[in-house]
PDB file of all heavy atoms in Angstrom:
ATOM      1  N   PRO A 553      19.464  56.998 121.744  1.00 87.00           N
ATOM      2  CA  PRO A 553      18.489  57.081 122.848  1.00 87.00           C
ATOM      3  C   PRO A 553      17.572  58.285 122.777  1.00 87.00           C
ATOM      4  O   PRO A 553      16.448  58.243 123.238  1.00 87.00           O
ATOM      5  CB  PRO A 553      19.383  57.127 124.096  1.00 87.00           C
ATOM      6  CG  PRO A 553      20.633  56.421 123.675  1.00 87.00           C
ATOM      7  CD  PRO A 553      20.845  56.779 122.247  1.00 87.00           C
ATOM      8  N   ASP A 554      18.038  59.414 122.191  1.00 85.00           N
ATOM      9  CA  ASP A 554      17.203  60.613 122.131  1.00 85.00           C
ATOM     10  C   ASP A 554      16.518  60.760 120.763  1.00 85.00           C
ATOM     11  O   ASP A 554      16.071  61.834 120.379  1.00 85.00           O
ATOM     12  CB  ASP A 554      18.040  61.844 122.407  1.00 85.00           C
ATOM     13  CG  ASP A 554      19.186  62.007 121.414  1.00 85.00           C
ATOM     14  OD1 ASP A 554      19.476  61.028 120.703  1.00 85.00           O
ATOM     15  OD2 ASP A 554      19.754  63.104 121.322  1.00 85.00           O
ATOM     16  N   GLN A 555      16.413  59.648 119.980  1.00 88.00           N
ATOM     17  CA  GLN A 555      15.779  59.690 118.652  1.00 88.00           C
ATOM     18  C   GLN A 555      14.658  58.681 118.570  1.00 88.00           C
ATOM     19  O   GLN A 555      14.510  57.770 119.445  1.00 88.00           O
ATOM     20  CB  GLN A 555      16.818  59.407 117.569  1.00 88.00           C
ATOM     21  CG  GLN A 555      17.896  60.453 117.430  1.00 88.00           C
ATOM     22  CD  GLN A 555      18.894  60.095 116.322  1.00 88.00           C
ATOM     23  OE1 GLN A 555      19.290  58.934 116.209  1.00 88.00           O
ATOM     24  NE2 GLN A 555      19.262  61.086 115.542  1.00 88.00           N
ATOM     25  N   LEU A 556      13.837  58.783 117.521  1.00 88.00           N
ATOM     26  CA  LEU A 556      12.740  57.845 117.244  1.00 88.00           C
ATOM     27  C   LEU A 556      13.101  56.994 116.031  1.00 88.00           C
ATOM     28  O   LEU A 556      13.917  57.397 115.202  1.00 88.00           O
ATOM     29  CB  LEU A 556      11.456  58.600 117.000  1.00 88.00           C
ATOM     30  CG  LEU A 556      10.903  59.457 118.181  1.00 88.00           C
ATOM     31  CD1 LEU A 556       9.652  60.201 117.730  1.00 88.00           C
ATOM     32  CD2 LEU A 556      10.600  58.551 119.367  1.00 88.00           C
ATOM     33  N   ASP A 557      12.414  55.865 115.915  1.00 89.00           N
ATOM     34  CA  ASP A 557      12.627  55.007 114.739  1.00 89.00           C
ATOM     35  C   ASP A 557      12.151  55.708 113.474  1.00 89.00           C
ATOM     36  O   ASP A 557      11.083  56.323 113.472  1.00 89.00           O
ATOM     37  CB  ASP A 557      11.855  53.689 114.897  1.00 89.00           C
ATOM     38  CG  ASP A 557      12.610  52.704 115.767  1.00 89.00           C
ATOM     39  OD1 ASP A 557      13.848  52.634 115.667  1.00 89.00           O
ATOM     40  OD2 ASP A 557      11.958  51.978 116.594  1.00 89.00           O
ATOM     41  N   GLY A 558      12.929  55.566 112.389  1.00 88.00           N
ATOM     42  CA  GLY A 558      12.482  55.973 111.071  1.00 88.00           C
ATOM     43  C   GLY A 558      11.562  54.899 110.531  1.00 88.00           C
ATOM     44  O   GLY A 558      11.939  53.733 110.409  1.00 88.00           O
ATOM     45  N   GLU A 559      10.335  55.266 110.135  1.00 90.00           N
ATOM     46  CA  GLU A 559       9.327  54.295 109.705  1.00 90.00           C
ATOM     47  C   GLU A 559       9.127  54.306 108.188  1.00 90.00           C
ATOM     48  O   GLU A 559       8.929  53.227 107.575  1.00 90.00           O
ATOM     49  CB  GLU A 559       7.987  54.547 110.389  1.00 90.00           C
ATOM     50  CG  GLU A 559       8.052  54.508 111.900  1.00 90.00           C
ATOM     51  CD  GLU A 559       8.264  53.105 112.438  1.00 90.00           C
ATOM     52  OE1 GLU A 559       8.069  52.146 111.659  1.00 90.00           O
ATOM     53  OE2 GLU A 559       8.638  52.948 113.613  1.00 90.00           O
ATOM     54  N   LEU A 560       9.176  55.465 107.584  1.00 89.00           N
ATOM     55  CA  LEU A 560       8.912  55.598 106.117  1.00 89.00           C
ATOM     56  C   LEU A 560       9.915  56.563 105.530  1.00 89.00           C
ATOM     57  O   LEU A 560      10.526  57.368 106.288  1.00 89.00           O
ATOM     58  CB  LEU A 560       7.486  56.088 105.878  1.00 89.00           C
ATOM     59  CG  LEU A 560       6.340  55.155 106.262  1.00 89.00           C
ATOM     60  CD1 LEU A 560       5.022  55.898 106.106  1.00 89.00           C
ATOM     61  CD2 LEU A 560       6.335  53.878 105.426  1.00 89.00           C
ATOM     62  N   ALA A 561      10.084  56.547 104.233  1.00 92.00           N
ATOM     63  CA  ALA A 561      11.011  57.421 103.562  1.00 92.00           C
ATOM     64  C   ALA A 561      10.402  57.957 102.287  1.00 92.00           C
ATOM     65  O   ALA A 561       9.522  57.306 101.681  1.00 92.00           O
ATOM     66  CB  ALA A 561      12.340  56.758 103.284  1.00 92.00           C
ATOM     67  N   GLU A 562      10.852  59.126 101.855  1.00 91.00           N
ATOM     68  CA  GLU A 562      10.440  59.688 100.567  1.00 91.00           C
ATOM     69  C   GLU A 562      11.700  60.374  99.963  1.00 91.00           C
ATOM     70  O   GLU A 562      12.616  60.762 100.662  1.00 91.00           O
ATOM     71  CB  GLU A 562       9.316  60.654 100.701  1.00 91.00           C
ATOM     72  CG  GLU A 562       9.526  61.811 101.649  1.00 91.00           C
ATOM     73  CD  GLU A 562       8.263  62.596 101.893  1.00 91.00           C
ATOM     74  OE1 GLU A 562       7.172  62.138 101.496  1.00 91.00           O
ATOM     75  OE2 GLU A 562       8.365  63.662 102.498  1.00 91.00           O
ATOM     76  N   VAL A 563      11.668  60.455  98.625  1.00 95.00           N
ATOM     77  CA  VAL A 563      12.805  60.982  97.907  1.00 95.00           C
ATOM     78  C   VAL A 563      12.401  62.150  96.980  1.00 95.00           C
ATOM     79  O   VAL A 563      11.336  62.063  96.344  1.00 95.00           O
ATOM     80  CB  VAL A 563      13.486  59.885  97.047  1.00 95.00           C
ATOM     81  CG1 VAL A 563      14.679  60.443  96.267  1.00 95.00           C
ATOM     82  CG2 VAL A 563      13.890  58.691  97.921  1.00 95.00           C
ATOM     83  N   TYR A 564      13.194  63.226  97.014  1.00 92.00           N
ATOM     84  CA  TYR A 564      12.949  64.412  96.176  1.00 92.00           C
ATOM     85  C   TYR A 564      14.162  64.631  95.253  1.00 92.00           C
ATOM     86  O   TYR A 564      15.303  64.285  95.604  1.00 92.00           O
ATOM     87  CB  TYR A 564      12.756  65.636  97.058  1.00 92.00           C
ATOM     88  CG  TYR A 564      11.540  65.579  97.973  1.00 92.00           C
ATOM     89  CD1 TYR A 564      11.590  64.911  99.165  1.00 92.00           C
ATOM     90  CD2 TYR A 564      10.362  66.233  97.590  1.00 92.00           C
ATOM     91  CE1 TYR A 564      10.458  64.845 100.007  1.00 92.00           C
ATOM     92  CE2 TYR A 564       9.256  66.203  98.418  1.00 92.00           C
ATOM     93  CZ  TYR A 564       9.315  65.499  99.612  1.00 92.00           C
ATOM     94  OH  TYR A 564       8.194  65.473 100.405  1.00 92.00           O
ATOM     95  N   ARG A 565      13.896  65.262  94.107  1.00 93.00           N
ATOM     96  CA  ARG A 565      14.983  65.642  93.148  1.00 93.00           C
ATOM     97  C   ARG A 565      14.865  67.108  92.846  1.00 93.00           C
ATOM     98  O   ARG A 565      13.780  67.661  92.790  1.00 93.00           O
ATOM     99  CB  ARG A 565      14.866  64.828  91.885  1.00 93.00           C
ATOM    100  CG  ARG A 565      15.967  65.149  90.900  1.00 93.00           C
ATOM    101  CD  ARG A 565      15.659  64.885  89.422  1.00 93.00           C
ATOM    102  NE  ARG A 565      14.900  63.727  89.122  1.00 93.00           N
ATOM    103  CZ  ARG A 565      13.665  63.787  88.608  1.00 93.00           C
ATOM    104  NH1 ARG A 565      13.059  64.933  88.442  1.00 93.00           N
ATOM    105  NH2 ARG A 565      13.043  62.674  88.306  1.00 93.00           N
ATOM    106  N   ALA A 566      16.045  67.766  92.619  1.00 93.00           N
ATOM    107  CA  ALA A 566      16.118  69.167  92.220  1.00 93.00           C
ATOM    108  C   ALA A 566      17.325  69.381  91.342  1.00 93.00           C
ATOM    109  O   ALA A 566      18.279  68.605  91.349  1.00 93.00           O
ATOM    110  CB  ALA A 566      16.112  70.095  93.403  1.00 93.00           C
ATOM    111  N   ALA A 567      17.298  70.502  90.622  1.00 90.00           N
ATOM    112  CA  ALA A 567      18.467  70.868  89.758  1.00 90.00           C
ATOM    113  C   ALA A 567      19.463  71.703  90.521  1.00 90.00           C
ATOM    114  O   ALA A 567      20.594  71.922  90.022  1.00 90.00           O
ATOM    115  CB  ALA A 567      17.995  71.613  88.528  1.00 90.00           C
ATOM    116  N   SER A 568      19.126  72.196  91.718  1.00 90.00           N
ATOM    117  CA  SER A 568      20.057  72.982  92.526  1.00 90.00           C
ATOM    118  C   SER A 568      19.748  72.742  94.003  1.00 90.00           C
ATOM    119  O   SER A 568      18.611  72.309  94.330  1.00 90.00           O
ATOM    120  CB  SER A 568      19.967  74.468  92.213  1.00 90.00           C
ATOM    121  OG  SER A 568      18.804  75.010  92.788  1.00 90.00           O
ATOM    122  N   PRO A 569      20.652  73.035  94.901  1.00 90.00           N
ATOM    123  CA  PRO A 569      20.397  72.803  96.309  1.00 90.00           C
ATOM    124  C   PRO A 569      19.233  73.665  96.828  1.00 90.00           C
ATOM    125  O   PRO A 569      18.619  73.322  97.848  1.00 90.00           O
ATOM    126  CB  PRO A 569      21.728  73.184  96.999  1.00 90.00           C
ATOM    127  CG  PRO A 569      22.724  73.110  95.947  1.00 90.00           C
ATOM    128  CD  PRO A 569      22.049  73.439  94.654  1.00 90.00           C
ATOM    129  N   GLU A 570      18.903  74.755  96.157  1.00 86.00           N
ATOM    130  CA  GLU A 570      17.823  75.622  96.608  1.00 86.00           C
ATOM    131  C   GLU A 570      16.455  75.162  96.101  1.00 86.00           C
ATOM    132  O   GLU A 570      15.437  75.718  96.466  1.00 86.00           O
ATOM    133  CB  GLU A 570      18.072  77.080  96.150  1.00 86.00           C
ATOM    134  CG  GLU A 570      19.241  77.736  96.803  1.00 86.00           C
ATOM    135  CD  GLU A 570      20.590  77.265  96.256  1.00 86.00           C
ATOM    136  OE1 GLU A 570      20.610  76.831  95.079  1.00 86.00           O
ATOM    137  OE2 GLU A 570      21.601  77.287  97.009  1.00 86.00           O
ATOM    138  N   GLY A 571      16.429  74.146  95.198  1.00 84.00           N
ATOM    139  CA  GLY A 571      15.172  73.698  94.652  1.00 84.00           C
ATOM    140  C   GLY A 571      14.819  74.429  93.363  1.00 84.00           C
ATOM    141  O   GLY A 571      15.685  75.066  92.767  1.00 84.00           O
ATOM    142  N   PRO A 572      13.554  74.298  92.877  1.00 87.00           N
ATOM    143  CA  PRO A 572      12.443  73.617  93.548  1.00 87.00           C
ATOM    144  C   PRO A 572      12.600  72.109  93.552  1.00 87.00           C
ATOM    145  O   PRO A 572      13.150  71.514  92.642  1.00 87.00           O
ATOM    146  CB  PRO A 572      11.229  74.052  92.673  1.00 87.00           C
ATOM    147  CG  PRO A 572      11.795  74.323  91.327  1.00 87.00           C
ATOM    148  CD  PRO A 572      13.177  74.874  91.576  1.00 87.00           C
ATOM    149  N   TRP A 573      12.037  71.448  94.610  1.00 88.00           N
ATOM    150  CA  TRP A 573      12.156  70.027  94.806  1.00 88.00           C
ATOM    151  C   TRP A 573      10.910  69.334  94.275  1.00 88.00           C
ATOM    152  O   TRP A 573       9.795  69.767  94.525  1.00 88.00           O
ATOM    153  CB  TRP A 573      12.359  69.693  96.263  1.00 88.00           C
ATOM    154  CG  TRP A 573      13.652  70.223  96.806  1.00 88.00           C
ATOM    155  CD1 TRP A 573      13.885  71.403  97.435  1.00 88.00           C
ATOM    156  CD2 TRP A 573      14.940  69.530  96.732  1.00 88.00           C
ATOM    157  NE1 TRP A 573      15.215  71.513  97.749  1.00 88.00           N
ATOM    158  CE2 TRP A 573      15.873  70.413  97.322  1.00 88.00           C
ATOM    159  CE3 TRP A 573      15.363  68.303  96.213  1.00 88.00           C
ATOM    160  CZ2 TRP A 573      17.215  70.079  97.433  1.00 88.00           C
ATOM    161  CZ3 TRP A 573      16.671  67.986  96.324  1.00 88.00           C
ATOM    162  CH2 TRP A 573      17.607  68.860  96.903  1.00 88.00           C
ATOM    163  N   VAL A 574      11.129  68.225  93.545  1.00 91.00           N
ATOM    164  CA  VAL A 574      10.045  67.385  93.027  1.00 91.00           C
ATOM    165  C   VAL A 574      10.110  66.041  93.727  1.00 91.00           C
ATOM    166  O   VAL A 574      11.156  65.360  93.734  1.00 91.00           O
ATOM    167  CB  VAL A 574      10.192  67.172  91.510  1.00 91.00           C
ATOM    168  CG1 VAL A 574       9.132  66.239  90.987  1.00 91.00           C
ATOM    169  CG2 VAL A 574      10.120  68.517  90.791  1.00 91.00           C
ATOM    170  N   ARG A 575       8.982  65.630  94.345  1.00 90.00           N
ATOM    171  CA  ARG A 575       8.964  64.318  94.997  1.00 90.00           C
ATOM    172  C   ARG A 575       8.843  63.228  93.943  1.00 90.00           C
ATOM    173  O   ARG A 575       7.899  63.233  93.142  1.00 90.00           O
ATOM    174  CB  ARG A 575       7.814  64.238  95.981  1.00 90.00           C
ATOM    175  CG  ARG A 575       7.800  62.962  96.791  1.00 90.00           C
ATOM    176  CD  ARG A 575       6.894  62.997  97.980  1.00 90.00           C
ATOM    177  NE  ARG A 575       5.506  63.305  97.596  1.00 90.00           N
ATOM    178  CZ  ARG A 575       4.557  63.586  98.474  1.00 90.00           C
ATOM    179  NH1 ARG A 575       4.825  63.582  99.762  1.00 90.00           N
ATOM    180  NH2 ARG A 575       3.316  63.851  98.036  1.00 90.00           N
ATOM    181  N   ILE A 576       9.787  62.298  93.955  1.00 92.00           N
ATOM    182  CA  ILE A 576       9.788  61.224  92.958  1.00 92.00           C
ATOM    183  C   ILE A 576       9.428  59.882  93.523  1.00 92.00           C
ATOM    184  O   ILE A 576       9.187  58.950  92.775  1.00 92.00           O
ATOM    185  CB  ILE A 576      11.172  61.132  92.224  1.00 92.00           C
ATOM    186  CG1 ILE A 576      12.282  60.790  93.241  1.00 92.00           C
ATOM    187  CG2 ILE A 576      11.484  62.426  91.510  1.00 92.00           C
ATOM    188  CD1 ILE A 576      13.635  60.541  92.539  1.00 92.00           C
TER     189      ILE A 576
END
Side-chain angles (χ1 to χ4, degrees):
D554 59 345
Q555 294 179 318
L556 297 176
D557 279 321
E559 301 290 344
L560 295 172
E562 57 189 11
V563 180
Y564 297 81
R565 182 206 319 115
S568 76
E570 292 76 27
W573 294 94
V574 176
R575 185 166 58 188
I576 62 174

